[in-house]
Amino acid sequence: MLALWLLLCLAIPSLADATSYYVHATNGDDSSAGTTAANAWRTIAKVNASSFSPGDTIYFARGETWREELIVPDSGTSGNYVTFDAYGAGALPIISGADVKANSAFSADSGFAYSASYSLIANGSMMVWENGVRLTSRASQALVQANPGSFYLTGSTLYVSATDGSDIRSNGKVYEVPGRTVGVYTNRQDFTKIRFLHVVQTSGDDTTYGGIVVSGSDNIVEYVESHDHRRHAVQILSETGINGNRNIVQYSDLYDTWGTLVISVFQQNVATVTCADNIIRYNDIYGGTVDTNSGLLTIHGADGTHQVLRTRIYGNRLHDSLSANQAIQFYDVVGVRFYGNWVYGTFSSNPIYTKTRGSGVFIMANFINMAGVGANIDAMFLQDISGTRVLHNIFYGQNGRWAVRFHTNATNGLVRNNIFHTVSKVINVDASAQSGFIMDWNNASDITSGATWGKWGATEYTFANWKTNSSQDANTTEVDPQLPSINATNWPASNLFVPRTSPMFHAGQHAQGARDARGRRYYMGGRPTIGPFEYGSGDPAGTRVAR
């Protein structure tokens, strides 16, 4: 027995054998051991070239900046991650994809413009930052000369004008140009943690991946801030020969990408690998209010054969997207669960959108404020994917368009146990989506008398006529749901959980697969509740993480 116990002890890695390493961009030295803060390494290149064992942690000094790519060299094991973290006091350590262009490198041109020599990086997209703020791309040298706060690259000559029209050579401002296409890459490793890092300003084109790229399985990205990327702030993906499974992105601030969506989960067109069972939870995800290309979230496969499987997205705040493309996208997916999220702010396109191929999309117990959705834009536009279920959500406000729209070939849809509060146009079902469609046991509170409720095929109906002509919503009521509080100007400050005293409590109808705002099985005895309900307490969307 003693011999067996000794063998088991030897077979299980011990955290007592784990090593901590330290990196300090100003005071470090790559020739040092790196195992204490006093003899820290200096560069990320040293980290990339080193070997690490399961349980090891590599700490980056707070308040420091590295203009390098972090390429994770080794995997951890279950329970013994290779971790990249922060130490010390102050701001999160910064990993920047941009390089500084010295003020002295510029020469006077004409008008507001100054010129410098610069060649764009391979697979790069051009951008210039002034004190961390993006300048405006112009189409000619003459336009930069005439417009402060802009740039133009032709060949290897870069023209830049300061935002205040000042002399770039002497104004003391910091100008940055693209230096790298990726900030952090897990490099096909498994069981790694990326924590408390601030990743900014990568400038890759559409063949690259962005700020934090998670390739491999069982990795965790948490408590990070990632923004100002041409591509995604965080991307999870499969690669040739490498699954992208069971990764988690949580408790992070992710925002303001200037070429595409903030988060991507992507199954590439490669054989024998999967992108499955990934989780996006408790993040603050937003596009900002400047660029028109910053969508929020995309879960997508390469085609009908290579689909993303069983992604869970919950407890996030998703807000403010001026992208001309849809803000939250699901396509070529199977088994998406989108629940307990707050969706609000200004939108220039559909906040939630499905398309192409897939099945099993559940949109449940979310808090959706339509007031900031642009005119003539449907809040939820569902097409192509069959069997989409819209359950236990609250829709608030109106913009003159539809809260939920089932469009081309989105058959077998189910809309049940939702609250539509102060929403005039609720549901639009295209003729090609009517097969198998069911809508009932909802709540229609505070509807304007005589207003349009639904559209069935080509015809719009009031609530009463909708019931008759579509044969839907026979059990939907118009009573006050008695929600605790609605704060339309600060949507996440609202308390929209249905209280036990509400007439909506246990007033709905069962829907297979439904979950509450924290993902637990929705029915714990009795009939289900109409609207968002949580068996417990707390804010499912969390808050921005204090760092």
Side-chain angles (χ1 to χ4, degrees):
M1 183 63 71
L2 178 60
L4 178 60
W5 180 82
L6 289 171
L7 284 172
L8 288 173
C9 289
L10 290 172
I12 299 172
S14 171
L15 285 178
D17 298 328
T19 303
S20 295
Y21 297 88
Y22 297 84
V23 193
H24 197 291
T26 302
N27 300 325
D29 184 341
D30 285 348
S31 64
S32 297
T35 52
T36 69
N39 65 358
W41 292 333
R42 184 182 184 90
T43 67
I44 290 178
K46 175 66 174 178
V47 176
N48 295 344
S50 300
S51 296
F52 302 105
S53 299
D56 287 354
T57 300
I58 301 88
Y59 291 102
F60 295 90
R62 287 177 177 262
E64 295 292 299
T65 297
W66 288 264
R67 299 183 184 276
E68 305 176 71
E69 292 180 357
L70 172 59
I71 310 297
V72 175
D74 294 293
S75 292
T77 59
S78 179
N80 292 295
Y81 291 78
V82 172
T83 301
F84 299 84
D85 209 331
Y87 77 97
L92 294 180
I94 294 173
I95 297 178
S96 175
D99 290 332
V100 174
K101 195 71 176 173
N103 300 72
S104 60
F106 287 89
S107 302
D109 182 60
S110 180
F112 294 110
Y114 293 79
S115 64
S117 176
Y118 173 73
S119 295
L120 184 62
I121 58 175
N123 303 115
S125 294
M126 190 59 206
M127 180 54 63
V128 176
W129 293 266
E130 179 188 86
N131 288 346
V133 178
R134 294 192 298 273
L135 301 183
T136 301
S137 177
R138 299 292 183 181
S140 70
Q141 175 185 354
L143 288 173
V144 177
Q145 294 170 346
N147 294 279
S150 60
F151 70 90
Y152 172 64
L153 178 68
T154 176
S156 60
T157 302
L158 174 64
Y159 298 92
V160 181
S161 59
T163 52
D164 59 2
S166 60
D167 188 333
I168 288 178
R169 298 168 298 179
S170 58
N171 63 12
K173 298 182 179 182
V174 177
Y175 292 89
E176 296 170 288
V177 293
R180 283 153 295 283
T181 62
V182 173
V184 177
Y185 176 40
T186 62
N187 191 27
R188 306 157 72 92
Q189 309 296 341
D190 304 326
F191 294 106
T192 70
K193 286 185 181 180
I194 310 298
R195 311 180 75 235
F196 292 105
L197 298 180
H198 187 179
V199 184
V200 297
Q201 294 172 299
T202 62
S203 302
D205 63 17
D206 286 346
T207 66
T208 63
Y209 300 134
I212 300 174
V213 183
V214 180
S215 166
S217 296
D218 300 292
N219 300 289
I220 298 175
V221 176
E222 61 183 4
Y223 305 107
V224 305
E225 187 170 356
S226 184
H227 62 94
D228 208 357
H229 303 285
R230 164 61 175 77
R231 295 291 285 165
H232 312 290
V234 176
Q235 171 142 353
I236 298 171
L237 75 161
S238 60
E239 295 190 281
T240 301
I242 298 295
N243 292 322
N245 297 338
R246 300 179 302 279
N247 299 290
I248 299 173
V249 179
Q250 61 187 3
Y251 304 115
S252 295
D253 288 340
L254 310 169
Y255 58 98
D256 193 20
T257 53
W258 46 277
T260 185
L261 295 96
V262 175
I263 295 185
S264 170
V265 180
F266 178 42
Q267 166 67 50
Q268 296 203 68
N269 184 6
V270 291
T272 71
V273 300
T274 58
C275 187
D277 301 304
N278 296 292
I279 296 174
I280 310 294
R281 64 185 179 190
Y282 306 127
N283 302 287
D284 197 353
I285 303 166
Y286 55 102
T289 56
V290 178
D291 284 306
T292 59
N293 290 321
S294 189
L296 302 182
L297 170 73
T298 178
I299 313 297
H300 66 110
D303 52 44
T305 302
H306 305 90
Q307 298 179 324
V308 177
L309 309 177
R310 301 181 300 276
T311 309
R312 286 184 288 163
I313 307 108
Y314 61 91
N316 302 283
R317 296 181 178 184
L318 298 125
H319 56 101
D320 296 304
S321 170
L322 298 184
S323 172
N325 295 314
Q326 291 73 21
I328 301 166
Q329 306 174 3
F330 306 126
Y331 58 97
D332 284 314
V333 298
V334 174
V336 167
R337 299 294 187 267
F338 183 83
Y339 57 87
N341 301 284
W342 296 81
V343 180
Y344 63 98
T346 301
F347 290 90
S348 296
S349 61
N350 308 109
I352 300 174
Y353 181 71
T354 69
K355 66 177 181 179
T356 61
R357 297 155 293 265
S359 62
V361 175
F362 282 61
I363 303 170
M364 303 177 290
N366 298 288
F367 309 84
I368 302 169
N369 190 330
M370 297 172 54
V373 180
N376 300 316
I377 296 173
D378 305 316
M380 192 178 293
F381 190 97
L382 312 173
Q383 69 175 14
D384 296 331
I385 294 179
S386 179
T388 299
R389 296 177 173 231
V390 180
L391 310 169
H392 300 283
N393 304 281
I394 180 167
F395 295 83
Y396 174 83
Q398 53 187 316
N399 68 334
R401 290 291 290 181
W402 305 102
V404 182
R405 184 173 185 180
F406 281 80
H407 199 49
T408 310
N409 299 323
T411 57
N412 299 303
L414 176 64
V415 182
R416 182 173 287 172
N417 300 327
N418 301 279
I419 294 176
F420 299 95
H421 191 66
T422 70
V423 178
S424 57
K425 289 190 172 183
V426 170
I427 181 70
N428 181 337
V429 184
D430 184 79
S432 67
Q434 291 176 5
S435 176
F437 178 81
I438 298 174
M439 181 170 180
D440 203 1
W441 298 96
N442 300 289
N443 173 256
S445 58
D446 201 18
I447 300 176
T448 302
S449 177
T452 296
W453 164 269
K455 185 175 182 180
W456 189 251
T459 307
E460 296 186 2
Y461 298 104
T462 63
F463 181 52
N465 290 336
W466 161 264
K467 287 185 172 186
T468 301
N469 289 280
S470 69
S471 300
Q472 305 291 335
D473 280 309
N475 297 287
T476 292
T477 65
E478 297 180 77
V479 301
D480 183 352
Q482 299 178 19
L483 301 173
S485 69
I486 295 176
N487 187 331
T489 58
N490 183 10
W491 188 239
S494 303
N495 182 357
L496 303 173
F497 289 113
V498 175
R500 293 176 182 270
T501 56
S502 167
M504 300 298 99
F505 184 72
H506 285 186
Q509 182 73 306
H510 292 282
Q512 184 178 4
R515 296 290 186 269
D516 77 352
R518 287 195 181 274
R520 291 166 293 198
R521 293 191 63 181
Y522 215 90
Y523 314 130
M524 299 178 69
R527 291 169 59 186
T529 292
I530 296 175
F533 186 77
E534 182 182 23
Y535 290 99
S537 61
D539 176 8
T543 59
R544 284 196 179 188
V545 178
R547 295 181 177 83

PDB file of all heavy atoms in Angstrom, residues 367-388:
ATOM      1  N   PHE A 367     -31.712  40.923 -21.299  1.00  0.00           N
ATOM      2  CA  PHE A 367     -32.311  42.218 -20.989  1.00  0.00           C
ATOM      3  C   PHE A 367     -31.988  43.144 -22.156  1.00  0.00           C
ATOM      4  O   PHE A 367     -30.870  43.664 -22.261  1.00  0.00           O
ATOM      5  CB  PHE A 367     -31.743  42.757 -19.681  1.00  0.00           C
ATOM      6  CG  PHE A 367     -31.803  41.760 -18.554  1.00  0.00           C
ATOM      7  CD1 PHE A 367     -30.810  40.806 -18.386  1.00  0.00           C
ATOM      8  CD2 PHE A 367     -32.867  41.772 -17.663  1.00  0.00           C
ATOM      9  CE1 PHE A 367     -30.870  39.885 -17.354  1.00  0.00           C
ATOM     10  CE2 PHE A 367     -32.931  40.853 -16.625  1.00  0.00           C
ATOM     11  CZ  PHE A 367     -31.931  39.904 -16.470  1.00  0.00           C
ATOM     12  N   ILE A 368     -32.942  43.352 -23.053  1.00  0.00           N
ATOM     13  CA  ILE A 368     -32.680  43.981 -24.339  1.00  0.00           C
ATOM     14  C   ILE A 368     -33.405  45.326 -24.412  1.00  0.00           C
ATOM     15  O   ILE A 368     -34.633  45.381 -24.405  1.00  0.00           O
ATOM     16  CB  ILE A 368     -33.133  43.058 -25.486  1.00  0.00           C
ATOM     17  CG1 ILE A 368     -32.393  41.714 -25.391  1.00  0.00           C
ATOM     18  CG2 ILE A 368     -32.888  43.719 -26.837  1.00  0.00           C
ATOM     19  CD1 ILE A 368     -32.938  40.633 -26.290  1.00  0.00           C
ATOM     20  N   ASN A 369     -32.614  46.394 -24.462  1.00  0.00           N
ATOM     21  CA  ASN A 369     -33.159  47.748 -24.567  1.00  0.00           C
ATOM     22  C   ASN A 369     -33.078  48.183 -26.021  1.00  0.00           C
ATOM     23  O   ASN A 369     -31.991  48.361 -26.569  1.00  0.00           O
ATOM     24  CB  ASN A 369     -32.367  48.699 -23.669  1.00  0.00           C
ATOM     25  CG  ASN A 369     -33.034  50.057 -23.546  1.00  0.00           C
ATOM     26  OD1 ASN A 369     -33.709  50.518 -24.465  1.00  0.00           O
ATOM     27  ND2 ASN A 369     -32.855  50.714 -22.411  1.00  0.00           N
ATOM     28  N   MET A 370     -34.240  48.388 -26.635  1.00  0.00           N
ATOM     29  CA  MET A 370     -34.298  48.733 -28.048  1.00  0.00           C
ATOM     30  C   MET A 370     -34.225  50.218 -28.323  1.00  0.00           C
ATOM     31  O   MET A 370     -34.144  50.640 -29.479  1.00  0.00           O
ATOM     32  CB  MET A 370     -35.598  48.192 -28.651  1.00  0.00           C
ATOM     33  CG  MET A 370     -35.730  46.692 -28.615  1.00  0.00           C
ATOM     34  SD  MET A 370     -37.385  46.156 -29.131  1.00  0.00           S
ATOM     35  CE  MET A 370     -37.545  46.954 -30.721  1.00  0.00           C
ATOM     36  N   ALA A 371     -34.239  51.037 -27.286  1.00  0.00           N
ATOM     37  CA  ALA A 371     -34.395  52.476 -27.480  1.00  0.00           C
ATOM     38  C   ALA A 371     -33.279  53.098 -28.304  1.00  0.00           C
ATOM     39  O   ALA A 371     -33.492  54.087 -29.016  1.00  0.00           O
ATOM     40  CB  ALA A 371     -34.498  53.172 -26.124  1.00  0.00           C
ATOM     41  N   GLY A 372     -32.060  52.545 -28.232  1.00  0.00           N
ATOM     42  CA  GLY A 372     -30.948  53.117 -28.972  1.00  0.00           C
ATOM     43  C   GLY A 372     -30.680  52.467 -30.308  1.00  0.00           C
ATOM     44  O   GLY A 372     -29.703  52.809 -30.983  1.00  0.00           O
ATOM     45  N   VAL A 373     -31.527  51.522 -30.703  1.00  0.00           N
ATOM     46  CA  VAL A 373     -31.357  50.866 -32.003  1.00  0.00           C
ATOM     47  C   VAL A 373     -31.799  51.829 -33.093  1.00  0.00           C
ATOM     48  O   VAL A 373     -32.840  52.477 -32.987  1.00  0.00           O
ATOM     49  CB  VAL A 373     -32.168  49.563 -32.061  1.00  0.00           C
ATOM     50  CG1 VAL A 373     -32.001  48.888 -33.416  1.00  0.00           C
ATOM     51  CG2 VAL A 373     -31.729  48.626 -30.948  1.00  0.00           C
ATOM     52  N   GLY A 374     -31.015  51.945 -34.148  1.00  0.00           N
ATOM     53  CA  GLY A 374     -31.304  52.907 -35.203  1.00  0.00           C
ATOM     54  C   GLY A 374     -32.671  52.708 -35.833  1.00  0.00           C
ATOM     55  O   GLY A 374     -33.243  51.618 -35.811  1.00  0.00           O
ATOM     56  N   ALA A 375     -33.185  53.784 -36.388  1.00  0.00           N
ATOM     57  CA  ALA A 375     -34.494  53.729 -37.042  1.00  0.00           C
ATOM     58  C   ALA A 375     -34.477  52.691 -38.166  1.00  0.00           C
ATOM     59  O   ALA A 375     -33.475  52.516 -38.864  1.00  0.00           O
ATOM     60  CB  ALA A 375     -34.844  55.106 -37.592  1.00  0.00           C
ATOM     61  N   ASN A 376     -35.586  51.998 -38.294  1.00  0.00           N
ATOM     62  CA  ASN A 376     -35.773  50.995 -39.342  1.00  0.00           C
ATOM     63  C   ASN A 376     -34.828  49.797 -39.212  1.00  0.00           C
ATOM     64  O   ASN A 376     -34.482  49.149 -40.194  1.00  0.00           O
ATOM     65  CB  ASN A 376     -35.619  51.631 -40.727  1.00  0.00           C
ATOM     66  CG  ASN A 376     -36.624  52.737 -40.968  1.00  0.00           C
ATOM     67  OD1 ASN A 376     -37.800  52.592 -40.645  1.00  0.00           O
ATOM     68  ND2 ASN A 376     -36.156  53.859 -41.497  1.00  0.00           N
ATOM     69  N   ILE A 377     -34.400  49.494 -37.976  1.00  0.00           N
ATOM     70  CA  ILE A 377     -33.533  48.344 -37.730  1.00  0.00           C
ATOM     71  C   ILE A 377     -34.217  47.428 -36.725  1.00  0.00           C
ATOM     72  O   ILE A 377     -34.614  47.873 -35.643  1.00  0.00           O
ATOM     73  CB  ILE A 377     -32.158  48.787 -37.195  1.00  0.00           C
ATOM     74  CG1 ILE A 377     -31.419  49.628 -38.248  1.00  0.00           C
ATOM     75  CG2 ILE A 377     -31.315  47.579 -36.805  1.00  0.00           C
ATOM     76  CD1 ILE A 377     -30.146  50.248 -37.743  1.00  0.00           C
ATOM     77  N   ASP A 378     -34.363  46.154 -37.078  1.00  0.00           N
ATOM     78  CA  ASP A 378     -34.960  45.188 -36.168  1.00  0.00           C
ATOM     79  C   ASP A 378     -33.968  44.819 -35.070  1.00  0.00           C
ATOM     80  O   ASP A 378     -32.777  44.622 -35.331  1.00  0.00           O
ATOM     81  CB  ASP A 378     -35.358  43.927 -36.928  1.00  0.00           C
ATOM     82  CG  ASP A 378     -36.267  44.232 -38.099  1.00  0.00           C
ATOM     83  OD1 ASP A 378     -37.201  45.032 -37.916  1.00  0.00           O
ATOM     84  OD2 ASP A 378     -36.033  43.674 -39.191  1.00  0.00           O
ATOM     85  N   ALA A 379     -34.444  44.705 -33.830  1.00  0.00           N
ATOM     86  CA  ALA A 379     -33.549  44.378 -32.727  1.00  0.00           C
ATOM     87  C   ALA A 379     -32.997  42.968 -32.851  1.00  0.00           C
ATOM     88  O   ALA A 379     -31.825  42.712 -32.556  1.00  0.00           O
ATOM     89  CB  ALA A 379     -34.278  44.535 -31.396  1.00  0.00           C
ATOM     90  N   MET A 380     -33.808  42.031 -33.278  1.00  0.00           N
ATOM     91  CA  MET A 380     -33.384  40.635 -33.398  1.00  0.00           C
ATOM     92  C   MET A 380     -33.822  40.139 -34.770  1.00  0.00           C
ATOM     93  O   MET A 380     -35.013  39.982 -35.029  1.00  0.00           O
ATOM     94  CB  MET A 380     -34.005  39.799 -32.279  1.00  0.00           C
ATOM     95  CG  MET A 380     -33.436  38.408 -32.127  1.00  0.00           C
ATOM     96  SD  MET A 380     -34.206  37.526 -30.726  1.00  0.00           S
ATOM     97  CE  MET A 380     -33.595  38.491 -29.345  1.00  0.00           C
ATOM     98  N   PHE A 381     -32.842  39.898 -35.651  1.00  0.00           N
ATOM     99  CA  PHE A 381     -33.131  39.489 -37.021  1.00  0.00           C
ATOM    100  C   PHE A 381     -32.618  38.066 -37.200  1.00  0.00           C
ATOM    101  O   PHE A 381     -31.412  37.817 -37.203  1.00  0.00           O
ATOM    102  CB  PHE A 381     -32.439  40.431 -38.011  1.00  0.00           C
ATOM    103  CG  PHE A 381     -32.867  40.253 -39.436  1.00  0.00           C
ATOM    104  CD1 PHE A 381     -33.841  41.076 -39.988  1.00  0.00           C
ATOM    105  CD2 PHE A 381     -32.303  39.275 -40.240  1.00  0.00           C
ATOM    106  CE1 PHE A 381     -34.233  40.928 -41.310  1.00  0.00           C
ATOM    107  CE2 PHE A 381     -32.697  39.103 -41.562  1.00  0.00           C
ATOM    108  CZ  PHE A 381     -33.665  39.944 -42.098  1.00  0.00           C
ATOM    109  N   LEU A 382     -33.549  37.116 -37.328  1.00  0.00           N
ATOM    110  CA  LEU A 382     -33.220  35.701 -37.328  1.00  0.00           C
ATOM    111  C   LEU A 382     -33.574  35.103 -38.683  1.00  0.00           C
ATOM    112  O   LEU A 382     -34.732  35.092 -39.078  1.00  0.00           O
ATOM    113  CB  LEU A 382     -33.989  34.980 -36.217  1.00  0.00           C
ATOM    114  CG  LEU A 382     -33.927  35.659 -34.833  1.00  0.00           C
ATOM    115  CD1 LEU A 382     -34.866  34.967 -33.857  1.00  0.00           C
ATOM    116  CD2 LEU A 382     -32.495  35.677 -34.305  1.00  0.00           C
ATOM    117  N   GLN A 383     -32.568  34.597 -39.379  1.00  0.00           N
ATOM    118  CA  GLN A 383     -32.841  33.984 -40.674  1.00  0.00           C
ATOM    119  C   GLN A 383     -31.987  32.742 -40.873  1.00  0.00           C
ATOM    120  O   GLN A 383     -30.964  32.555 -40.212  1.00  0.00           O
ATOM    121  CB  GLN A 383     -32.601  34.963 -41.819  1.00  0.00           C
ATOM    122  CG  GLN A 383     -31.157  35.351 -42.066  1.00  0.00           C
ATOM    123  CD  GLN A 383     -31.009  36.237 -43.292  1.00  0.00           C
ATOM    124  OE1 GLN A 383     -31.993  36.773 -43.810  1.00  0.00           O
ATOM    125  NE2 GLN A 383     -29.798  36.404 -43.764  1.00  0.00           N
ATOM    126  N   ASP A 384     -32.455  31.880 -41.739  1.00  0.00           N
ATOM    127  CA  ASP A 384     -31.754  30.680 -42.206  1.00  0.00           C
ATOM    128  C   ASP A 384     -31.654  29.566 -41.170  1.00  0.00           C
ATOM    129  O   ASP A 384     -31.814  28.397 -41.507  1.00  0.00           O
ATOM    130  CB  ASP A 384     -30.338  31.018 -42.693  1.00  0.00           C
ATOM    131  CG  ASP A 384     -30.347  31.932 -43.905  1.00  0.00           C
ATOM    132  OD1 ASP A 384     -31.314  31.858 -44.677  1.00  0.00           O
ATOM    133  OD2 ASP A 384     -29.419  32.738 -44.052  1.00  0.00           O
ATOM    134  N   ILE A 385     -31.341  29.877 -39.910  1.00  0.00           N
ATOM    135  CA  ILE A 385     -31.133  28.836 -38.909  1.00  0.00           C
ATOM    136  C   ILE A 385     -32.483  28.374 -38.370  1.00  0.00           C
ATOM    137  O   ILE A 385     -33.279  29.173 -37.871  1.00  0.00           O
ATOM    138  CB  ILE A 385     -30.231  29.342 -37.776  1.00  0.00           C
ATOM    139  CG1 ILE A 385     -28.821  29.603 -38.334  1.00  0.00           C
ATOM    140  CG2 ILE A 385     -30.178  28.356 -36.627  1.00  0.00           C
ATOM    141  CD1 ILE A 385     -27.838  30.117 -37.324  1.00  0.00           C
ATOM    142  N   SER A 386     -32.721  27.088 -38.433  1.00  0.00           N
ATOM    143  CA  SER A 386     -33.995  26.527 -37.990  1.00  0.00           C
ATOM    144  C   SER A 386     -33.963  26.229 -36.497  1.00  0.00           C
ATOM    145  O   SER A 386     -32.920  25.903 -35.921  1.00  0.00           O
ATOM    146  CB  SER A 386     -34.286  25.241 -38.759  1.00  0.00           C
ATOM    147  OG  SER A 386     -35.495  24.661 -38.346  1.00  0.00           O
ATOM    148  N   GLY A 387     -35.125  26.333 -35.856  1.00  0.00           N
ATOM    149  CA  GLY A 387     -35.264  25.927 -34.467  1.00  0.00           C
ATOM    150  C   GLY A 387     -34.745  26.917 -33.446  1.00  0.00           C
ATOM    151  O   GLY A 387     -34.462  26.542 -32.305  1.00  0.00           O
ATOM    152  N   THR A 388     -34.624  28.184 -33.812  1.00  0.00           N
ATOM    153  CA  THR A 388     -34.171  29.199 -32.858  1.00  0.00           C
ATOM    154  C   THR A 388     -35.251  29.444 -31.813  1.00  0.00           C
ATOM    155  O   THR A 388     -36.432  29.601 -32.135  1.00  0.00           O
ATOM    156  CB  THR A 388     -33.827  30.510 -33.571  1.00  0.00           C
ATOM    157  OG1 THR A 388     -32.760  30.258 -34.496  1.00  0.00           O
ATOM    158  CG2 THR A 388     -33.401  31.585 -32.586  1.00  0.00           C
TER     159      THR A 388
END
